[in-house]
Amino acid sequence: MVEWTECERATIKDIFAKLDYDSVGPAALSRCLIVYPWTQRYFSKFGNLYNAAAIMGNPNVAKHGKIILHDLERGVKNMDNLKETYADLSVLHSETLHVDPDNFKLISDCLTIVVASRMGKAFTGEVQAALQKFLAAVVSALGRQYH
């Protein structure tokens, strides 16, 4: 179990409270699919993913990007119980969808970049550390079925 300081908890809650899920989620997933094109194989039913413009304009990518953020919000609300919070998603991604667990790290890195770009100077080292600690804990919880 991850131990959180009160400052980390407050920082993570503040980040997610200020995020525009309708733009940040799609931007993070689009970035992941563009920068790491091999991740597109998990989204074959999403239609046209042939180039960056198609990915960024794809409504299925946008919808799933929002879903990812809402699922992360569940973790924000349950920071002390991430493994249980994500147990069903972990099973789905490992046993049904056969998603390589390394992809969770890739999307978390892309999300960090998008959040940093939106927050600007407010994205201090302390903010980044808290966000990356949270995302690493979520990635670990999601990847637990693979071990």
Side-chain angles (χ1 to χ4, degrees):
M1 183 171 100
V2 178
E3 297 204 16
W4 305 101
T5 66
E6 287 308 312
C7 183
E8 289 169 335
R9 289 177 189 279
T11 299
I12 293 162
K13 288 177 183 176
D14 187 57
I15 291 168
F16 279 86
K18 293 178 179 174
L19 286 183
D20 175 4
Y21 286 31
D22 291 340
S23 67
V24 172
L29 183 55
S30 292
R31 180 178 287 270
C32 188
L33 295 172
I34 293 164
V35 175
Y36 309 108
W38 59 89
T39 62
Q40 294 174 18
R41 70 180 174 195
Y42 301 108
F43 301 96
S44 61
K45 295 181 181 178
F46 278 22
N48 184 358
L49 301 174
Y50 298 121
N51 57 44
I55 291 168
M56 291 185 293
N58 187 306
N60 293 314
V61 171
K63 180 180 177 183
H64 195 69
K66 293 174 204 174
I67 289 169
I68 291 169
L69 281 189
H70 284 286
D71 280 335
L72 285 171
E73 183 178 36
R74 288 180 35 223
V76 172
K77 294 175 180 174
N78 297 287
M79 290 174 64
D80 292 321
N81 201 3
L82 293 174
K83 286 187 179 183
E84 185 175 305
T85 299
Y86 292 115
D88 290 344
L89 271 180
S90 180
V91 171
L92 171 69
H93 283 83
S94 68
E95 296 178 14
T96 304
L97 301 175
H98 306 290
V99 173
D100 182 336
D102 290 342
N103 291 312
F104 300 132
K105 174 73 172 126
L106 299 178
I107 187 66
S108 74
D109 289 347
C110 290
L111 178 60
T112 300
I113 291 167
V114 173
V115 170
S117 72
R118 303 297 164 91
M119 289 183 69
K121 290 181 181 180
F123 195 75
T124 64
E126 292 84 4
V127 170
Q128 180 179 354
L131 178 62
Q132 288 191 288
K133 181 178 178 178
F134 172 71
L135 293 174
V138 171
V139 167
S140 177
L142 283 168
R144 72 181 184 87
Q145 288 296 322
Y146 297 89
H147 301 295

